[in-house]
Amino acid sequence: MSSDDRLIVALDVPNALQGLKLAEQIGDAVSFYKIGLGMLTGGGLALANELKDEHGKRIFLDMKLFDIGATVEAAVRGLAQFDLDFLTVHGDPHVVAAAKEGAAGSNLKILGVTILTSLDRTDLDNCLIKEGEIKDLVQERAGRAFDAGADGVIASPQEAALIRALPESEGRLIVTPGVRPAGAALGDQKRVATPANAVADGADHIVVGRPVWTADDPRAAAQAIVTELASAQAKRPNH
């Protein structure tokens, strides 16, 4: 069975050795992996390079960078030398613009984070985020990130259709964490959808972690998602 790079599997395990073991278990069922902050001190960059250079995998580096512009630009310039595929930064326009400067001359795609999929309105209130429905705030942040030059945005699958409806989304990527196959535990995710629904609503890529790497058979779990992405339920309207 061939892989589908619309599926990105999050290697949210403690270190590079466990990440490599998991990727080897999954084999050719998955072509795209996400490596995040949790593995940064456990050899995450080394694993990213090994998976890309020796196993031909695509890599999404999920760093969610946020700082003053000069610092973000310098950090992204350093990361761009690894020739990876996606990098996340917070979706604030000044951060996105600085990241694009740092990525100049490379193929690294800069994705702006809108609102984390683990947050709901109560969480936003506690963080002093302005009033409004999450879906509206996500759409607004996505539009501003696109205007600042983002190659794509990170949002929950519940907001994918709203973002895809933005004129600015033409030719841009929508990547959705918070994707859970039917029957899977939600964990710390609050705004979720199934793989098929996320893609049908406009996501270009879905990110799935625990439902794959905690499964008794991670390869089979990944293959089941790939099968779902090929189903009629995952077809976008008018496509």
Side-chain angles (χ1 to χ4, degrees), residues 156-217:
S156 95
Q158 294 183 7
E159 294 103 33
L162 285 172
I163 296 171
R164 186 54 69 198
L166 289 171
E168 304 96 314
S169 76
E170 181 70 29
R172 311 293 181 95
L173 296 166
I174 299 174
V175 181
T176 58
V179 174
R180 291 289 184 267
L186 298 185
D188 57 4
Q189 301 294 342
K190 296 178 180 177
R191 303 186 339 268
V192 303
T194 65
N197 286 342
V199 170
D201 284 342
D204 297 287
H205 299 273
I206 62 170
V207 180
V208 184
R210 278 161 288 194
V212 172
W213 61 259
T214 63
D216 292 336
D217 186 342

Side-chain angles (χ1 to χ4, degrees), residues 11 47 52 132:
L11 294 176
L47 176 61
K52 187 174 186 72

